[in-house]
């Protein structure tokens, strides 16, 4: 996996699918996963081949589905931005009224709160990984 | 087309595909289109059927492709948020250094600058519509 330095710094690998690396964002403020396609050179989703794009986006949808089931969130934010980090990546974030940035976007909001690495993976991350392993 | 009142207020219809209504956001600060799926009751992309989802997301990717070709933007922001408006909708926005919110997200940023309705459709909107009519 070739990963942009900022993505490498701010995430940890969770699992891989045929179409994506799934990463856990190291920010405890939100249940937040990030998908990166297998082709590390791609910057925009329209640059992927139709098959790779379909698989990648279906993975993102599946991650959001489990995230919502697990957290009971109000909404799932699914976003590919690329303004700061050019390597294509798709954020999937569980959002609920009362969360730190609600209802504004999370990107660029305040400072990350690092997850406690000794606490193991959070339940939502375990659930998503388990769903994709079935 | 059944459209959330806020979406109806802030956009104008541009064209329809088999899978989406494509709307022009009435904010001249960015080249900004919004896709709404045919099923107006859906709130999250994972609630769509696999076929409807694939078509909807492929449409969003195609819109972003033409938007980038037409505007020469640095990045395309493709995002489904749903924190404020629950009806599923996908923003596709051309972003470039120096734009009003760069590099921060556009949602909730400042106040919309209404497009001049008498000026007709902007070139990027005409180009996207033409690409989907081919």
């Amino acid at each position: 996996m070739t990963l942009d330095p900022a993505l490498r710094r701010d995430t940890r690998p969770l699992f891989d699918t045929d179409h994506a690396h799934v990463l856990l964002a190291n920010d405890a403020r939100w249940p937040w996963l990030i998908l990166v396609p297998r082709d590390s050179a791609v910057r925009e989703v329209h640059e992927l081949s139709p098959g790779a794009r379909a698989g990648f986006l279906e993975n993102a949808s599946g991650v959001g589905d489990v995230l919502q089931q697990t957290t009971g969130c109000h909404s799932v934010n699914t976003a590919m931005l690329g303004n700061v980090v050019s390597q294509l990546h798709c954020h999937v974030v569980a959002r609920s009224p009362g969360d730190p940035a609600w209802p504004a976007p999370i990107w660029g909001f305040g400072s990350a709160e690092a997850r406690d690495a000794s606490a193991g993976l959070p339940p939502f991350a375990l659930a998503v990984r388990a769903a994709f392993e079935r």
Side-chain angles (χ1 to χ4, degrees), chain A residues 40-127:
Chain A
S40 62
V42 167
R43 295 166 56 109
E44 298 287 344
V45 74
H46 60 256
E47 296 171 10
L48 290 171
S49 70
R53 179 166 53 248
F56 180 68
L57 294 172
E58 191 64 13
N59 283 171
S61 171
V63 166
D65 190 0
V66 180
L67 213 50
Q68 190 163 47
Q69 288 178 43
T70 311
T71 66
C73 62
H74 173 277
S75 43
V76 177
N77 289 183
T78 303
M80 297 172 282
L81 304 177
N83 304 344
V84 177
V85 171
S86 290
Q87 183 176 12
L88 179 60
H89 58 290
C90 182
H91 302 273
V92 185
V93 192
R95 302 299 307 277
S96 292
D99 79 28
W102 183 264
I106 67 165
W107 305 282
F109 181 89
S111 301
E113 294 176 7
R115 291 192 173 277
D116 179 358
S118 68
L121 290 169
F124 71 85
L126 293 169

